[in-house]
Amino acid sequence: MKNFISSSKMLKILSMTIVFFVFAMMGCVKPNVLYGTWQDFEDDKIEFTTEGTFSASVRNSAENAIEERSGTYYVENNLIIFYFESGGNYNSAWEIDGGNLYITWADSEGNVLDKPLELYRTKMAE
């Protein structure tokens, strides 16, 4: 009597195990804390969607005028990478502390604002 599993049975067991772990990991994904609309009292506003897009209205540091920008974003720990529809990208550190989002921002000319934006959430993502 042989005490081994045939290679086809072993392959089926391995395949089922992999499928189980993939579904288990998908169920463990936490929603990104950035999702939703953030703004301040100076008309600066950034909206992050669950689809990985953003739209922003931020005061331009040189002209002191509101500048509209949009595109996609990617989050890796405390770094967010903005990919602008108009071209180019910008890497920013971010932090949520006490319910406020602190994030650095650069205008379309590449000028980084003197201080990070301090935004509060006004709407959760749907």
Side-chain angles (χ1 to χ4, degrees):
M1 185 177 251
K2 297 180 179 179
N3 289 332
F4 67 91
I5 299 175
S6 70
S7 62
S8 65
K9 285 185 181 179
M10 183 62 98
L11 184 59
K12 286 180 185 178
I13 291 171
L14 181 61
S15 298
M16 290 175 62
T17 304
I18 290 171
V19 169
F20 171 77
F21 281 114
V22 167
F23 282 115
M25 293 306 292
M26 288 173 53
C28 295
V29 173
K30 295 180 182 177
N32 190 316
V33 296
L34 287 173
Y35 296 159
T37 303
W38 300 82
Q39 68 182 49
D40 63 15
F41 296 108
E42 298 176 14
D43 299 324
D44 298 316
K45 181 168 86 172
I46 303 175
E47 179 180 0
F48 297 99
T49 69
T50 57
E51 292 84 25
T53 62
F54 77 94
S55 60
S57 304
V58 178
R59 190 163 302 281
N60 178 310
S61 57
E63 300 170 12
N64 200 25
I66 295 292
E67 182 177 85
E68 303 283 333
R69 299 182 86 183
S70 60
T72 59
Y73 69 95
Y74 174 76
V75 175
E76 181 67 38
N77 297 321
N78 69 330
L79 179 69
I80 184 167
I81 305 167
F82 293 98
Y83 298 96
F84 302 112
E85 284 180 355
S86 59
N89 62 35
Y90 175 68
N91 299 344
S92 174
W94 66 277
E95 176 183 9
I96 294 178
D97 185 23
N100 289 333
L101 169 64
Y102 297 89
I103 189 167
T104 59
W105 190 259
D107 61 25
S108 61
E109 302 296 319
N111 301 314
V112 177
L113 299 179
D114 294 336
K115 64 179 185 168
L117 295 174
E118 182 179 343
L119 309 169
Y120 60 92
R121 189 187 313 267
T122 59
K123 182 179 176 186
M124 298 292 285
E126 299 174 1

